[in-house]
Amino acid sequence: MTGRRRLRMLAATLVAPALAGALAVSPAAASATGSWRQRAEATDRALQQYFAAADGSGLYREEYPHESTDNTYSYEWPFSQEHVATLDLAAMAGSPDHRGALADRDAAQQHYWEDTSTTGLPGFASGAEPPYANGGDLFYDDNEWVGLEDVQHYAFFHDAASLAEARRIFALVRSGWDTDPSHADPGGTFWTQAPWSSDRNTVSNMPGAELGLRLFQLTGDRSYLLWSLRMYRWTNTYLQRPDGLYWDHVDLQGNVEKTIWSYNQGVPIGVDVLLFRITHQRSYLAEAERIAQASRAYFGTAGLDKQPPYFNSIYFKNLLLLQSVDHVNHRRQLAAYAERMWQTHRDPNTGLFHFAAAGDPHVQMIEQAAMTQIFAVLAWPPSDFTRLY
């Protein structure tokens, strides 16, 4: 079973509070138990203690406790979320300098780089490359998350290397477009280059559109805008429900997998926000607000808490991007979620967040990375929300 499929199975498990007797408190109580910045730092310290490989590779274990049958290092998708977490820490005002750690993540990210792929273009493989591991299939969404990290990196630190990498990633994503008109619902970027899947997903198209829009803003190259609109319109045509919410994926026969995941609602919100900024057409802003309202109504508090934290971190960050233009306090919803997770899912003895089913002792590195991201962006000034994704 691939790491991506295993994480999907974990995500489908109902999330139950891990700590018996924990009591939820209001977001206002955060000031009494430590600032968001302190929580971000504490969560990162626990992540480094329990998951860092500490062998000079700069890589991480997938889960804790680490079993002898586990891969030596995590798959690329979890690593990318730790990479983003370190960037979010580095962007916090008044925090210790995380630039050195960010440089380490930048370097370790390259251990996943594959010089070619089935479309002939390079990108990040799902597993670390030799001598660390044996590589793996390329997933377009894996690469899009790194590309979005790159443009956020550039927004804060203006480094040419991040922008150049984001452009290479977008070229890869563009090469994954389905060009066979005989397919049901023709078009769309595939989820993966792996031969066992021909799905085209919300998560392989909307993050691609978001990356392309950021690249258009940074470079002025109109091809990025046109490709982003192509991905956006395809997803809206084939994977958006009438109420605004998004299904997961469609196969080549036109069968739609209709699970509603939080990150699949968040990224389209961000895409509409960026289209509003670029075009100044208020219809895009209205659509972003419609999706945000529909997702709040669909999930509620209980439903959102059952979503994996690594999906919710993406969802909430795009809500904060929406806040930068509609000036609605979406941050309040994120703060309430963060407080609930701190109170109900954190083991104070280890500092780790436990989201597995009762009786399963394992915790996932990607979960800790997601919670680090959440606490870190809560420590940001709202003026920085414009730089998210």
Side-chain angles (χ1 to χ4, degrees):
M1 181 181 296
T2 68
R4 295 303 304 273
R5 280 186 165 179
R6 185 167 185 270
L7 281 172
R8 283 294 179 102
M9 290 177 66
L10 287 168
T13 303
L14 291 180
V15 178
L19 304 177
L23 299 176
V25 299
S26 70
S31 61
T33 55
S35 70
W36 297 122
R37 183 174 66 246
Q38 290 168 332
R39 291 182 178 192
E41 299 281 5
T43 305
D44 177 62
R45 284 194 299 271
L47 190 159
Q48 303 308 320
Q49 178 181 349
Y50 290 98
F51 294 94
D55 58 4
S57 66
L59 297 172
Y60 289 81
R61 313 297 187 197
E62 186 103 354
E63 66 180 16
Y64 176 81
H66 184 73
E67 308 291 350
S68 60
T69 55
D70 291 344
N71 291 338
T72 303
Y73 303 114
S74 80
Y75 287 95
E76 197 284 328
W77 152 239
F79 179 86
S80 73
Q81 296 311 292
E82 161 55 13
H83 193 173
V84 173
T86 305
L87 173 59
D88 291 345
L89 289 166
M92 290 190 305
S95 68
D97 190 356
H98 290 271
R99 300 278 193 95
L102 182 57
D104 291 343
R105 305 298 176 273
D106 293 342
Q109 182 74 65
Q110 300 309 309
H111 297 333
Y112 294 90
W113 186 256
E114 172 64 57
D115 290 331
T116 188
S117 70
T118 62
T119 64
L121 293 177
F124 291 104
S126 57
E129 293 290 308
Y132 303 100
N134 296 317
D137 297 309
L138 270 70
F139 289 77
Y140 292 106
D141 61 328
D142 282 3
N143 281 270
E144 288 160 357
W145 301 127
V146 182
L148 290 168
E149 183 275 333
D150 281 330
V151 293
Q152 183 178 305
H153 196 297
Y154 185 83
F156 279 100
F157 304 117
H158 307 289
D159 59 310
S162 289
L163 180 58
E165 183 173 89
R167 297 184 76 159
R168 288 195 296 271
I169 289 171
F170 192 82
L172 172 73
V173 171
R174 192 171 55 199
S175 77
W177 186 263
D178 177 18
T179 59
D180 189 338
S182 70
H183 290 159
D185 304 339
T189 297
F190 289 107
W191 179 44
T192 179
Q193 294 182 357
W196 44 263
S197 174
S198 298
D199 297 335
R200 294 151 295 164
N201 293 46
T202 296
V203 78
S204 55
N205 284 275
M206 280 300 193
E210 195 163 28
L211 175 59
L213 293 173
R214 282 302 195 189
L215 287 170
F216 173 71
Q217 289 178 313
L218 292 171
T219 68
D221 184 339
R222 190 168 178 81
S223 68
Y224 290 125
L225 174 60
L226 296 177
W227 266 102
S228 295
L229 285 169
R230 194 177 189 183
M231 295 173 186
Y232 171 79
R233 289 166 178 162
W234 180 88
T235 314
N236 285 352
T237 299
Y238 298 114
L239 289 172
Q240 189 178 28
R241 301 188 339 178
D243 63 355
L245 298 180
Y246 288 82
W247 292 312
D248 190 68
H249 68 261
V250 61
D251 66 18
L252 295 184
Q253 290 72 47
N255 302 306
V256 176
E257 205 292 307
K258 296 185 176 181
T259 304
I260 302 295
W261 298 111
S262 59
Y263 72 157
N264 280 341
Q265 319 317 313
V267 179
I269 290 170
V271 172
D272 277 304
V273 169
L274 295 182
L275 283 170
F276 168 67
R277 284 184 175 166
I278 290 166
T279 67
H280 306 292
Q281 294 180 24
R282 295 196 67 83
S283 59
Y284 289 120
L285 177 57
E287 179 66 3
E289 291 174 330
R290 182 174 82 101
I291 300 166
Q293 183 176 2
S295 62
R296 281 194 298 269
Y298 178 85
F299 291 116
T301 298
L304 195 62
D305 289 1
K306 292 177 182 177
Q307 293 280 304
Y310 43 89
F311 288 179
N312 285 341
S313 62
I314 294 167
Y315 170 71
F316 282 120
K317 284 181 172 183
N318 282 280
L319 281 179
L320 296 183
L321 181 60
L322 175 59
Q323 180 173 322
S324 72
V325 295
D326 73 357
H327 307 297
V328 174
N329 189 1
H330 302 290
R331 181 184 180 278
R332 181 183 298 124
Q333 185 185 4
L334 171 56
Y337 171 81
E339 185 65 33
R340 290 193 304 274
M341 297 304 101
W342 182 271
Q343 297 295 332
T344 62
H345 288 273
R346 181 177 182 270
D347 182 346
N349 295 316
T350 63
L352 296 176
F353 287 80
H354 189 279
F355 293 93
D360 183 349
H362 293 93
V363 294
Q364 303 297 314
M365 187 268 282
I366 194 173
E367 297 166 344
Q368 317 310 308
M371 294 311 302
T372 302
Q373 292 177 40
I374 286 168
F375 295 130
V377 296
L378 281 167
W380 288 12
S383 58
D384 281 342
F385 294 166
T386 58
R387 308 191 217 197
L388 284 165
Y389 291 140

